[in-house]
Amino acid sequence: MKNQTSLDLIKENLIVSLLPVYQSLSFFCRERTHHPTLSLSLSVLVVAMRGRSSGLEVFFLVAFFLAVQHLGLVTAKTSNSSRWQTLSAGRAPAIIARGGFSGLFPDSSLDAFLFGVSVSSNDSFLWCDVQLTKDNVGICVPDIKLDNCTNIANVYPGREKVYVVNGVRTPGWFSVDYKATELAQSVSLIQAIYSRTFVFDNMFPILAVDDVVTQVRPPGLWLNIQHDSFYQQHNLSMRSYVLSVFKRVIVNYISSPEVNFLTSIEKRFRQSTTKLVFRFLNEDIAEPSTNQTYSLLLKNLTFIKTFASGILVPKHYIWPVTPDNYLQPYTSIVMDAHKAGLEIFAADFANDNIISYNYSYDPLSEYLYFIDNGFFSVDGVLTDFPITPSEVVACFSHINKSSIDHGRPLIISHYGASGDYPDCTDLAYQKAVNDGADVIDCPVQVTHDGILICMKSIDLLDDTTVTRSPFSSYASIIPDIKRTPGIYTFNLTWNEIQKNLQPTMSAPFIEYNLVRNPRYKNKGNFMTLSEFLTFAKGKDLSGILITIENAAFIVEKLGIGVTDAVINAISFAGYNTQTTPEIMIQSTNSSVLKKFRQHTKYKLVYKIDGPVGDAVNSSVEDIKEFADSVAILTDSIYPDTQLFITSKTDIVNKFHRYNLSVYVYLLQNEFVSQPWDYFSDPIVQINSFVEGAKVDGIITDFPRTARAYKRNSCRNLGPKAPVFMEPVEAGDLLQLIPFAAQPPALAPMPVLNVSNVVEPPLPPVASKTPPPAGGGTAAPPSQRPSDGPRCTASLFISLSMLCGFFPFI
């Protein structure tokens, strides 16, 4: 008690006047770390902020507070708590499957409900949006307009109507115009979100609520009543229907955005186990019975408590986002609801939504912000992909986030944490280390003055702003490298690159309007190989991976033996006198690896740069002569056709039989990069390669996601692993598709032959003149770039070091 009192006095004396700078520090560090802990820690300080303080005071105060919190001296709750911070005495957050597994199958279809139950935790709930038919039968359909989610417009083409829905004239096909038998016998459900697969459309009839109970037998049922006032206008009573269902079916939750509906049934459910939940819509919408906006109703939770035991809110009510899609500090709504005795549920979760850039396209990370941030937890989540929150609740919450395990699978970065920062920059490499990569990588390129640098491509057009520099006219075509124009690293000196070019953030899925961390699209500094080697020293890494391509061209045309230069750089950096981190060399050229095999004891990785479904034994025997491991494409293990996995090859086992480790590339979090079989969930994909295919390592743009996977508490459970942590079965999803909608058969996969592996040795080094820019005709700029000193944002770097210093951030 004495020590705690002393600490409180120190904090009271130090915590002054932080409010003016709180927002900027919280925002900066949350961006830099993509983790809520720092912003949450700073939020704790807000209550004591008064007056003014200098930036230096703020810097040291934040450092002090974080250090104290890390040492366990602050009494605030942390994520190590063994109890959930939900309202109901520590019960785990509920998982509500909206329309079943509606992220894949048509919402509220039989397979969506069955699949939602089969891959979710045992205490999940199925959500049914109830609509009423002409004969007062409740059906599960996600939209009041049936033409948005069924094929009714084709079945009954002349029966479109215009009705007033919440004060708006709305054309469409409505359930109030049809008897239940008309819909059940003729109308089929379709996928309502066009970006999702349509191959399961027109397969499933509309189900009544009673059908869901008898055919699916859900572990829990949630009925959502969205348009009671509309049905009253058509002489249909949602109240009467719900009360009649209640006599036949166990209903766990009933939600509605209409006050009058919930108040009308509240007395009948007061003594039951069924819970009533008031659903908030967007803040500026008026609730029909009170005519108050939902933002006003949010300020009167004591009123809500008179007729409901919980509230359901859009997730942005809890974690608001900026117009450019970055998280803002969390609101107090969860704590306010719990204080009022209300459970609070968050809605709008979907793995294939464009979520905040702070989550790095990882839906698992988003769920953790809501249920395991150390300060609060919602009481449940409403989701289209119930498999992901099932993983989060059972396997990824309340785990030790500071532990590093360099065992299988090896996490190998791809140009650093290139999903979050520009490729091969100091920011990308630092984040890869912070995020728990086992190995960080440097693809080596050569400058005009012979400096080895880390850069994604030999062509500066791929990852720099060279087109906006004085060297934009340097484009040339070099068929030995590529058949389209490029501006190459050997066209510019290292000094010219440093002073005139900025990195550019990779955007591999720009055609889908998916970009990465746009606020940092040109941030970070390029690094030489020497700087990279120095940076990696002392870091908690098991290895560093140096990739070498175009070595023969560089020897012949530039007169630089890149293999010898790399060996010298590694030796000069002192790596030959230490065992960790281990040096790994990767190349698609066997000639490069053979050269290293002759002169070093480094671990050598042969990268196969195209899909292969098999390899002849003699080719694997050849690889074994010069490599310790192979890197193969994801398609080489799980080939797919139109994003449906067709099979699993035996190629990993073949390489293992020759004692070759297998690394798979490239894993990315963006949902468009993954076959449907992975449910837009990068954890499902990683688990399938690790547990299903038994790969030894994964090469990824997002090391943080891979590290979260390695830390999860459900690993190594074997047959006791929960169903949602089992690897996918190749071809299972494909078999569910009707014959008429089947994608085309996949062409036979190429087989790796000896001719694909064997290469002539590298040519000897001879002094050469680098190829001229512009195809030999373009002259250099009339004025060379300035050699003046390059400015660095010192405060930016200092704060980034602060955000990266503490392991719990």
Side-chain angles (χ1 to χ4, degrees):
M1 179 65 69
K2 181 178 180 181
N3 290 339
Q4 182 60 46
T5 302
S6 300
L7 178 60
D8 290 340
L9 289 174
I10 294 172
K11 287 166 57 181
E12 185 67 23
N13 290 330
L14 283 175
I15 300 176
V16 290
S17 313
L18 287 179
L19 190 56
V21 294
Y22 158 70
Q23 287 280 0
S24 59
L25 268 175
S26 172
F27 169 75
F28 170 84
C29 289
R30 185 166 8 91
E31 273 190 332
R32 299 275 296 161
T33 64
H34 289 206
H35 194 283
T37 304
L38 181 57
S39 62
L40 294 172
S41 301
L42 291 171
S43 297
V44 175
L45 303 178
V46 172
V47 295
M49 295 177 183
R50 299 290 187 272
R52 300 179 179 178
S53 63
S54 69
L56 186 62
E57 289 171 333
V58 171
F59 182 92
F60 283 106
L61 176 56
V62 173
F64 168 79
F65 184 81
L66 290 174
V68 169
Q69 185 187 26
H70 183 52
L71 291 172
L73 298 178
V74 176
T75 58
K77 294 179 181 178
T78 70
S79 59
N80 292 326
S81 170
S82 60
R83 294 175 61 84
W84 293 98
Q85 293 170 278
T86 53
L87 178 68
S88 52
R91 187 182 304 143
I95 297 164
I96 308 111
R98 193 182 70 87
F101 206 112
S102 55
L104 181 64
F105 299 98
D107 190 306
S108 303
S109 64
L110 179 60
D111 273 18
F113 284 133
L114 290 172
F115 200 72
V117 170
S118 67
V119 301
S120 302
S121 61
N122 293 331
D123 55 353
S124 59
F125 301 88
L126 290 186
W127 166 286
C128 166
D129 281 295
V130 181
Q131 316 297 339
L132 289 181
T133 64
K134 188 176 185 177
D135 48 347
N136 207 44
V137 174
I139 58 175
C140 294
V141 181
D143 199 307
I144 193 171
K145 281 169 51 72
L146 299 184
D147 47 308
N148 284 348
C149 50
T150 75
N151 65 350
I152 194 169
N154 297 327
V155 176
Y156 300 111
R159 296 177 64 174
E160 182 182 19
K161 296 290 182 66
V162 178
Y163 291 127
V164 176
V165 180
N166 291 339
V168 179
R169 284 177 54 82
T170 305
W173 282 257
F174 297 85
S175 60
V176 294
D177 296 316
Y178 303 87
K179 292 183 178 180
T181 53
E182 290 182 273
L183 297 176
Q185 294 174 2
S186 305
V187 179
S188 299
L189 294 160
I190 62 174
Q191 180 59 256
I193 298 177
Y194 296 152
S195 60
R196 295 172 178 171
T197 181
F198 57 86
V199 297
F200 302 111
D201 287 359
N202 303 309
M203 290 176 57
F204 306 103
I206 294 174
L207 297 176
V209 173
D210 295 78
D211 296 330
V212 174
V213 175
T214 57
Q215 296 182 36
V216 181
R217 299 186 181 278
L221 184 63
W222 184 310
L223 301 182
N224 182 57
I225 313 301
Q226 195 79 4
H227 298 285
D228 174 56
S229 57
F230 170 80
Y231 291 109
Q232 286 185 35
Q233 296 169 18
H234 293 269
N235 298 316
L236 294 169
S237 174
M238 191 65 81
R239 180 181 183 276
S240 298
Y241 171 75
V242 167
L243 294 177
S244 68
V245 166
F246 178 66
K247 297 175 182 178
R248 306 188 304 272
V249 172
I250 296 176
V251 180
N252 302 89
Y253 290 92
I254 299 174
S255 62
S256 176
E258 299 185 24
V259 170
N260 277 357
F261 173 73
L262 292 177
T263 55
S264 72
I265 65 173
E266 185 271 331
K267 288 184 180 179
R268 297 292 297 271
F269 287 93
R270 190 174 293 171
Q271 302 302 320
S272 75
T273 58
T274 302
K275 296 183 179 180
L276 304 185
V277 177
F278 181 63
R279 183 178 190 181
F280 283 82
L281 305 181
N282 283 342
E283 294 91 334
D284 57 346
I285 295 176
E287 190 278 324
S289 50
T290 64
N291 205 31
Q292 294 185 42
T293 64
Y294 287 99
S295 62
L296 285 176
L297 287 171
L298 189 64
K299 298 176 181 178
N300 196 359
L301 293 179
T302 54
F303 167 63
I304 305 298
K305 179 61 178 172
T306 62
F307 59 85
S309 63
I311 60 175
L312 172 66
V313 300
K315 62 186 180 182
H316 72 264
Y317 273 44
I318 300 169
W319 281 99
V321 295
T322 61
D324 60 343
N325 205 30
Y326 286 87
L327 285 182
Q328 295 179 307
Y330 65 86
T331 69
S332 64
I333 183 173
V334 175
M335 289 73 77
D336 294 342
H338 285 173
K339 184 177 179 180
L342 292 165
E343 289 186 304
I344 179 168
F345 304 89
D348 304 332
F349 288 91
N351 291 3
D352 55 356
N353 264 350
I354 299 179
I355 56 180
S356 169
Y357 296 119
N358 299 77
Y359 303 131
S360 303
Y361 287 101
D362 183 355
L364 182 141
S365 177
E366 180 182 33
Y367 285 109
L368 287 172
Y369 271 58
F370 285 83
I371 69 172
D372 185 28
N373 58 46
F375 288 81
F376 63 80
S377 172
V378 296
D379 298 279
V381 292
L382 177 62
T383 175
D384 293 7
F385 294 82
I387 189 171
T388 306
S390 297
E391 299 162 359
V392 173
V393 171
C395 309
F396 289 84
S397 298
H398 305 147
I399 59 176
N400 181 1
K401 296 180 175 65
S402 65
S403 63
I404 295 292
D405 168 18
H406 292 310
R408 176 182 169 274
L410 208 62
I411 302 170
I412 305 171
S413 76
H414 184 244
Y415 313 141
S418 56
D420 295 307
Y421 292 107
D423 305 339
C424 300
T425 59
D426 55 346
L427 295 180
Y429 287 130
Q430 183 60 63
K431 189 164 197 304
V433 171
N434 291 348
D435 288 350
D438 298 308
V439 178
I440 58 174
D441 68 310
C442 167
V444 169
Q445 313 299 342
V446 179
T447 66
H448 184 82
D449 49 344
I451 304 297
L452 301 183
I453 62 174
C454 299
M455 194 161 287
K456 165 186 173 181
S457 172
I458 195 172
D459 184 0
L460 295 169
L461 293 174
D462 291 342
D463 51 3
T464 76
T465 57
V466 69
T467 57
R468 304 199 302 267
S469 77
F471 310 104
S472 59
S473 63
Y474 275 32
S476 62
I477 296 177
I478 301 179
D480 289 341
I481 299 177
K482 57 190 298 189
R483 298 189 179 277
T484 55
I487 302 175
Y488 299 99
T489 57
F490 51 75
N491 293 146
L492 279 68
T493 67
W494 172 233
N495 191 52
E496 289 169 341
I497 291 173
Q498 278 188 301
K499 293 183 179 298
N500 295 276
L501 308 188
Q502 291 177 300
T504 58
M505 177 75 73
S506 62
F509 306 106
I510 190 64
E511 68 269 28
Y512 300 99
N513 294 319
L514 298 180
V515 298
R516 295 173 168 179
N517 200 8
R519 289 184 181 175
Y520 289 86
K521 64 181 180 180
N522 297 123
K523 301 296 184 182
N525 300 312
F526 300 118
M527 299 177 75
T528 65
L529 174 61
S530 175
E531 291 169 338
F532 173 82
L533 293 169
T534 300
F535 167 82
K537 272 195 167 183
K539 302 297 190 297
D540 192 356
L541 297 166
S542 65
I544 57 175
L545 177 71
I546 299 173
T547 301
I548 299 173
E549 302 296 343
N550 304 298
F553 172 86
I554 293 171
V555 169
E556 292 178 335
K557 305 299 183 182
L558 306 184
I560 298 173
V562 66
T563 55
D564 293 331
V566 168
I567 292 171
N568 292 337
I570 293 171
S571 176
F572 184 78
Y575 279 81
N576 291 345
T577 61
Q578 62 186 55
T579 57
T580 56
E582 185 176 51
I583 298 296
M584 305 167 68
I585 304 294
Q586 175 179 264
S587 181
T588 59
N589 300 120
S590 60
S591 55
V592 169
L593 299 179
K594 287 179 179 178
K595 184 74 177 289
F596 277 97
R597 179 68 89 201
Q598 293 169 4
H599 299 286
T600 72
K601 294 183 179 179
Y602 305 150
K603 294 293 184 181
L604 305 180
V605 183
Y606 182 54
K607 182 179 180 181
I608 302 173
D609 60 355
V612 291
D614 198 0
V616 299
N617 290 341
S618 54
S619 69
V620 183
E621 290 168 356
D622 281 350
I623 293 172
K624 183 62 179 175
E625 292 298 316
F626 59 81
D628 305 287
S629 54
V630 294
I632 60 177
L633 285 165
T634 56
D635 290 351
S636 296
I637 302 173
Y638 289 108
D640 68 84
T641 175
Q642 293 188 358
L643 296 179
F644 286 95
I645 294 175
T646 61
S647 60
K648 185 178 75 173
T649 71
D650 194 50
I651 196 165
V652 175
N653 290 333
K654 173 157 283 190
F655 286 127
H656 280 170
R657 286 195 289 270
Y658 285 85
N659 292 320
L660 287 165
S661 298
V662 179
Y663 308 136
V664 62
Y665 74 96
L666 172 67
L667 273 65
Q668 298 164 307
N669 283 0
E670 288 93 345
F671 54 89
V672 295
S673 72
Q674 303 155 7
W676 300 112
D677 304 68
Y678 300 133
F679 315 127
S680 302
D681 183 337
I683 293 296
V684 174
Q685 183 181 35
I686 293 172
N687 191 53
S688 296
F689 283 105
V690 174
E691 296 299 330
K694 304 299 182 182
V695 300
D696 302 283
I698 52 181
I699 300 173
T700 174
D701 287 353
F702 297 89
R704 184 176 66 159
T705 299
R707 176 54 60 184
Y709 171 77
K710 287 184 69 170
R711 288 180 178 141
N712 88 80
S713 58
C714 293
R715 286 195 67 205
N716 305 317
L717 290 180
K720 295 182 179 180
V723 63
F724 42 81
M725 288 301 293
E726 294 178 358
V728 301
E729 290 293 332
D732 275 6
L733 209 55
L734 193 65
Q735 294 175 14
L736 299 178
I737 303 173
F739 179 79
Q742 284 273 337
L746 185 67
M749 297 280 286
V751 176
L752 189 70
N753 292 298
V754 174
S755 59
N756 304 126
V757 176
V758 174
E759 295 178 343
L762 291 175
V765 177
S767 179
K768 300 286 184 180
T769 302
T777 59
S782 57
Q783 289 189 344
R784 303 298 288 169
S786 169
D787 290 327
R790 188 180 190 198
C791 295
T792 303
S794 58
L795 177 59
F796 182 92
I797 298 300
S798 298
L799 287 173
S800 68
M801 292 300 292
L802 167 65
C803 293
F805 179 77
F806 296 97
F808 57 92
I809 294 178

